[in-house]
Every structure is written in C-alpha cells, then in structure tokens.
Amino acid sequence: MASSLCLFCGDAFATEGLLTLLDRKGDTVSNVVVYAMPQVPVDVTLTPSPAVATMEQIDNRFVPHVLVVQTGTLVAFPNNDSVSHHVYSFSESKQFELDLYRGNIYTPELFDKPGLVVLG
C-alpha cells in the first residue's frame, strides 16, 4: 500500500524561484513543502484555489506524492488503476474513509482545517 502526505495550509500564495534543500550530509531532500513568511507585512493578491484539487491513484501510488492546498479546498481522489483502492486518513486535521472503489465515484472531500494530513 502506498502512502502520501498532504499539507493543507491556511492563506497562501505562490511565487516561482529556485530553492534546493539539503540534509546534514549535503544530500538533496525531496517531497518537502516550504512555507515562507515576509519579515515585513506586504499587500498581496491571493490566487483562489482551483475548484477541486486532485490526488490520483496511478500505478498503486498517490500522484502527486505531496499536494499542498489552501484551507477550504475540495480534493478528489480518482482511482486510475485497474484494481479497487481504499483511501483513508486518521489525521487530526482530516479524517475520512473511501471504501474500495474504481474510477471517480466519490464526492470530493472538503479540507476545512489547516494541518498535515497523512493518507493510506
């Protein structure tokens, strides 16, 4: 069974840049989310989240491996595999359970609390 992490944060905005994270050995760290706050308050225009974000199941894995969405976003969990899957989270920020299914038959889940959500 593949597992994945989703980070659901509050008000957020994105900008492009280059950032490489290294561990203590100097090796590149992957699947990391960085949340940066300005030292001085700035006026920003927030881009609304898409109507529905998607965490797919492809080749028995969650794709993408890490998904970041704003609080209040709906997330769909389509199954694009030939086998039935069970998706669940027992995380404090979001608990839900989708029984064995194929295709996109479940209503998207509303992630209405900020925090880290681990999927199984």
Side-chain angles (χ1 to χ4, degrees), residues 1-117:
M1 175 182 304
S3 63
S4 181
L5 301 177
C6 294
L7 178 66
F8 298 92
C9 53
D11 296 335
F13 64 96
T15 186
E16 290 189 31
L18 179 61
L19 177 67
T20 302
L21 298 176
L22 305 175
D23 64 15
R24 291 181 183 178
K25 297 177 186 176
D27 296 328
T28 303
V29 179
S30 61
N31 298 313
V32 174
V33 175
V34 176
Y35 185 83
M37 297 289 295
Q39 290 182 323
V40 179
V42 295
D43 289 330
V44 297
T45 302
L46 296 177
T47 303
S49 297
V52 178
T54 302
M55 174 63 81
E56 296 183 79
Q57 294 181 11
I58 301 173
D59 296 329
N60 296 312
R61 298 177 188 267
F62 288 111
V63 177
H65 184 69
V66 176
L67 177 66
V68 180
V69 300
Q70 293 179 4
T71 301
T73 300
L74 292 167
V75 179
F77 295 89
N79 178 0
N80 294 307
D81 284 333
S82 60
V83 297
S84 295
H85 285 293
H86 183 100
V87 179
Y88 60 90
S89 173
F90 301 122
S91 301
E92 187 174 322
S93 297
K94 180 66 179 176
Q95 295 183 6
F96 68 99
E97 188 170 359
L98 306 178
D99 291 330
L100 288 174
Y101 72 101
R102 289 186 196 175
N104 191 9
I105 59 172
Y106 281 97
T107 302
E109 292 288 325
L110 176 64
F111 287 78
D112 55 354
K113 296 178 185 173
L116 177 68
V117 178

